């Protein structure tokens, strides 16, 4: 497997997938998203792997979002394609028949929060920060954040986070139910390993059926996922997305016009 943006290691029966673009705070460009899909496929196919941890390289970020520099000039069709690609890969994470834990070691913003939410559970280091800041860019989440955040923390709280673009710390994420546990940064991976070790003691086929069956409860949201793909694409027909992305890339405050 030829990976440019990920580290893929297997330790015993645990596969660790590390998003590895630390100079860009592990932002997800298209290639990285494709590689996440390839890495999940490889871990599923490896009979020795019983569980998967997804984390970020460095001490600052899990993933600081989709790579804004890649989509700043997108149109509707490109926006929809980007979103649909992210959905396909993150659905693969969500439906992975082996348990997947997000080890959130810093910023989990936008696509990073969405990647963590696609995992079966989340463990946060005490320095982790979560948020869906897309509206600051004139956008909405494109990797199913509008669908999975309400599932995890409830509609009202999700609406607030999605509309305010507020960033929350690990303790608040724990209070809201977005993360299962908060640990010191140096305990993060060991905490995830300990959970996966407990799960490995159970029947693997039963674990796969748990994942399939719990996910089945949420299947009725499929139309919401399609709506997100279409409306994410539609954001790219606005002037505000040009302004928001240009402002970010040029390190200035955005001035939105509402068109
Ligand atoms: N896409 C592309 N590049 C990103 C990025 C993203 N989502 N997030 C961070 N980066 C890049 C920065 O542009 C910078 O690159 P440079 O050194 O070439 O200028 C580098 O990563 C470091 O980020 P910087 O902003 O300097 O770090 P910071 O500590 O000042 O701020 C954040 C950290 C996470 C608050 C800030 O990077 C941020 O707001 N990122 C965007 C978050 C976002 O909107 N995500 C949703 C995207 S849909």
């Amino acid at each position: 497997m030829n990976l440019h943006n990920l580290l893929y290691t297997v330790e015993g029966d645990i596969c660790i997938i590390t998003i590895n673009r630390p100079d860009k705070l592990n932002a997800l460009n298209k290639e990285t998203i494709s590689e996440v899909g390839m890495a999940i496929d490889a871990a599923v196919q490896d009979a020795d792997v019983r569980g998967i941890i997804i984390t970020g390289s460095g001490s600052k970020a899990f993933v600081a979002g989709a790579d804004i520099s890649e989509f700043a000039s997108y149109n509707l069709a490109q926006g929809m394609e980007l979103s649909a690609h992210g959905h396909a890969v993150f659905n693969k994470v969500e439906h992975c028949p082996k348990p997947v834990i997000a080890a959130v070691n810093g910023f989990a913003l936008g696509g990073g929060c969405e990647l963590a939410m696609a995992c079966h559970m989340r463990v946060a280091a005490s320095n982790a920060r979560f948020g869906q800041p897309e509206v600051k860019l004139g956008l909405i989440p494109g990797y199913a954040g509008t669908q999975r955040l309400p599932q995890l923390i409830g509609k009202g709280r999700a609406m607030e986070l999605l509309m305010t673009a507020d960033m929350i710390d690990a303790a608040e994420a724990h209070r809201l139910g977005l993360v299962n546990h908060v640990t010191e940064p140096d305990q993060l991976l060991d905490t995830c390993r300990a959970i996966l070790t407990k799960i490995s003691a159970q029947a693997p086929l039963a674990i796969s059926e748990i994942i399939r069956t719990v996910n089945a409860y949420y299947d009725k949201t499929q139309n919401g996922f399609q709506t997100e793909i279409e409306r994410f694409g539609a954001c790219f027909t606005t002037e505000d997305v040009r302004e928001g992305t240009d402002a970010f890339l040029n390190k200035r405050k955005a001035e939105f016009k509402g068109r």
Side-chain angles (χ1 to χ4, degrees), residues 23-25 27 60 64-69 71 107 109-110 133-134 137 167 248 251:
D23 54 329
K24 294 293 174 191
L25 302 187
K60 194 167 168 184
D67 191 323
I68 299 168
S69 66
F71 61 61
F107 290 114
L109 303 176
E134 287 85 353
L137 301 168
M167 218 190 285
F248 174 79
K251 305 186 189 299

Side-chain angles (χ1 to χ4, degrees), residues 69-171:
S69 66
E70 208 175 46
F71 61 61
S73 61
Y74 271 14
N75 60 26
L76 183 149
Q78 290 169 309
M80 283 184 65
E81 191 200 338
L82 180 73
S83 180
H85 179 232
H87 277 227
V89 172
F90 287 16
N91 286 344
K92 190 189 285 269
V93 175
E94 181 168 56
H95 295 289
C96 176
K98 299 178 182 182
V100 186
I101 303 183
V104 183
N105 57 311
F107 290 114
L109 303 176
C113 189
E114 292 168 297
L115 175 59
M117 291 193 293
C119 297
H120 300 134
M121 55 194 101
R122 287 143 293 285
V123 179
S126 52
N127 66 325
R129 298 285 179 277
F130 296 81
Q132 296 287 164
E134 287 85 353
V135 290
K136 285 188 182 174
L137 301 168
L139 275 174
I140 64 171
Y143 301 152
T146 61
Q147 306 304 296
R148 294 198 177 100
L149 190 60
Q151 287 173 7
L152 284 165
I153 68 171
K155 183 177 173 185
R157 289 184 285 255
M159 285 283 194
E160 184 176 343
L161 281 184
L162 291 164
M163 290 198 259
T164 60
D166 277 351
M167 218 190 285
I168 58 171
D169 64 15

